Amino acid sequence: MFPVLFETIQRDSVISFPMFGDFSINPPAYFTVFGKNIYFYGVIIALGFILGTVYCARNAKRFGITSDDIYDFMLWTVPCSIIGARLYYVLFRLPHYIEHPSEIFAIWEGGLAIYGGVIAGIIIAFIICRKKKIPLSAMLDILVYGLLIGQILGRWGNFMNREAFGAETTVFCRMGLTAPDGTTIFVHPTFLYESLWNLAGLIFLIIFDRKGKRKYDGQCLLIYFFWYGIGRAWIEGLRTDSLYIGSSNIRVSQLLSVILALAALTVLIIQSRRPHKPEDLFVNRVKAQAQSDMQGEAEVNNAKEE
């Protein structure tokens, strides 16, 4: 039954959550402005990017980076990350898109892979940081906060599109999807799982940084990779729309998540056994340089007065 319904529930199903009683909702996939359809999927993702960027810009100084650096970075990263996310998705469904090339650019219908966006973002970050002489690890430490904010909100775009859900289930938090013919199936709301998982990760990283626990540049990035990798590996196993490696039963994102989490954990353990001097943090080096410059200016002004 599920494979048959899968194609019909994408846009027209009524969504319900039994744990909330008779509550149900049938959100539209888009709204119209001057005759043009504006899809909520794109609006929500755009909102995630904006809020993520604002957060990073307001907190950039905590990492030794200016808000202008963040805005410059985002101007390049946003479009490149979207392209990377779409390219990653298309490559792992290449036979389908070879037969339907007109669908390659139809991102409003879904089909953005987060790992593709992250890979593209890191490449752009490397280029920009090299040009601005900013350590890549320091830049990525602040950017993971914006990335998490974008992921938290972005998954609700999947909710609007009735996509990225899991297999049929009877768990207490199951989501009901009622097709136009009145047939209902109950599935794992995996979009919700991932949104809440990322929210927990964001809260942890905010507390981690505010309490001064960050010992070296790149530590927040490693924690993000470990946390996200664990959650995505678990959640991906519940989904029905995973990308697979060829004709195997190996889910691409699940395998990559496991590798990512294990690699990040290994580096975190190694780094925890090494001494880290506070003055090696990029933000502390920036502060020390600023103080040195101020002292130099004061000495020059005193010399002029004498």
Side-chain angles (χ1 to χ4, degrees):
M1 179 179 69
F2 188 82
V4 175
L5 283 177
F6 182 80
E7 297 298 330
T8 63
I9 62 180
Q10 294 294 306
R11 302 296 184 202
D12 303 321
S13 61
V14 175
I15 303 172
S16 60
F17 290 91
M19 65 178 178
F20 294 136
D22 296 328
F23 172 79
S24 64
I25 185 173
N26 187 13
Y30 61 87
F31 59 95
T32 303
V33 177
F34 299 120
K36 298 292 184 180
N37 293 337
I38 309 297
Y39 287 81
F40 281 105
Y41 181 85
V43 172
I44 292 173
I45 288 180
L47 179 61
F49 271 121
I50 292 172
L51 293 181
T53 299
V54 170
Y55 180 91
C56 289
R58 290 177 64 89
N59 292 274
K61 287 186 178 180
R62 301 179 63 85
F63 296 79
I65 298 169
T66 68
S67 58
D68 285 343
D69 290 332
I70 296 296
Y71 290 128
D72 289 344
F73 176 84
M74 287 301 179
L75 284 175
W76 286 97
T77 301
V78 171
C80 290
S81 292
I82 293 175
I83 293 172
R86 184 60 175 177
L87 180 61
Y88 183 103
Y89 184 85
V90 169
L91 286 176
F92 282 99
R93 295 193 66 190
L94 197 54
H96 171 81
Y97 286 105
I98 289 178
E99 294 182 5
H100 306 87
S102 62
E103 297 179 9
I104 291 177
F105 302 103
I107 61 174
W108 52 87
E109 294 183 358
L112 294 177
I114 183 63
Y115 280 124
V118 171
I119 292 171
I122 290 176
I123 293 173
I124 296 301
F126 174 79
I127 295 173
I128 293 177
C129 288
R130 190 178 182 86
K131 181 178 180 180
K132 290 180 173 289
K133 298 180 179 181
I134 298 172
L136 178 63
S137 54
M139 174 66 85
L140 293 178
D141 265 355
I142 176 61
L143 290 179
V144 295
Y145 289 84
L147 179 58
L148 280 168
I149 292 172
Q151 289 176 299
I152 291 166
L153 292 176
R155 280 305 175 193
W156 287 92
N158 298 137
F159 171 77
M160 301 297 290
N161 276 2
R162 284 79 156 174
E163 62 186 6
F165 50 80
E168 291 185 77
T169 183
T170 58
V171 297
F172 78 97
C173 58
R174 63 191 181 279
M175 177 176 68
L177 293 168
T178 303
D181 64 359
T183 305
T184 300
I185 60 172
F186 294 97
V187 299
H188 283 286
T190 48
F191 76 91
L192 177 62
Y193 297 166
E194 190 168 331
S195 182
L196 294 177
W197 182 266
N198 289 332
L199 177 60
L202 176 64
I203 293 173
F204 173 81
L205 280 175
I206 290 175
I207 295 174
F208 179 81
D209 175 56
R210 295 303 170 91
K211 289 192 173 183
K213 299 295 184 180
R214 192 167 67 95
K215 303 300 181 183
Y216 54 89
D217 293 318
Q219 191 173 12
C220 290
L221 176 68
L222 289 170
I223 292 173
Y224 164 78
F225 280 154
F226 174 65
W227 181 259
Y228 182 74
I230 291 175
R232 184 58 185 269
W234 160 57
I235 295 168
E236 190 69 22
L238 301 174
R239 289 176 59 170
T240 59
D241 59 345
S242 299
L243 299 176
Y244 290 86
I245 299 178
S247 58
S248 71
N249 292 323
I250 301 176
R251 301 170 191 252
V252 178
S253 292
Q254 195 170 38
L255 176 61
L256 185 56
S257 296
V258 171
I259 294 174
L260 193 65
L262 290 176
L265 178 61
T266 300
V267 177
L268 284 168
I269 292 174
I270 293 174
Q271 291 287 7
S272 69
R273 297 178 178 177
R274 293 178 177 176
H276 296 284
K277 299 178 182 179
E279 57 268 25
D280 289 339
L281 268 175
F282 181 63
V283 62
N284 292 335
R285 281 188 280 150
V286 170
K287 290 178 180 178
Q289 183 62 50
Q291 292 177 350
S292 177
D293 292 343
M294 290 178 62
Q295 291 177 355
E297 291 179 3
E299 292 175 358
V300 170
N301 291 332
N302 290 335
K304 289 181 178 179
E305 291 177 358
E306 293 177 358

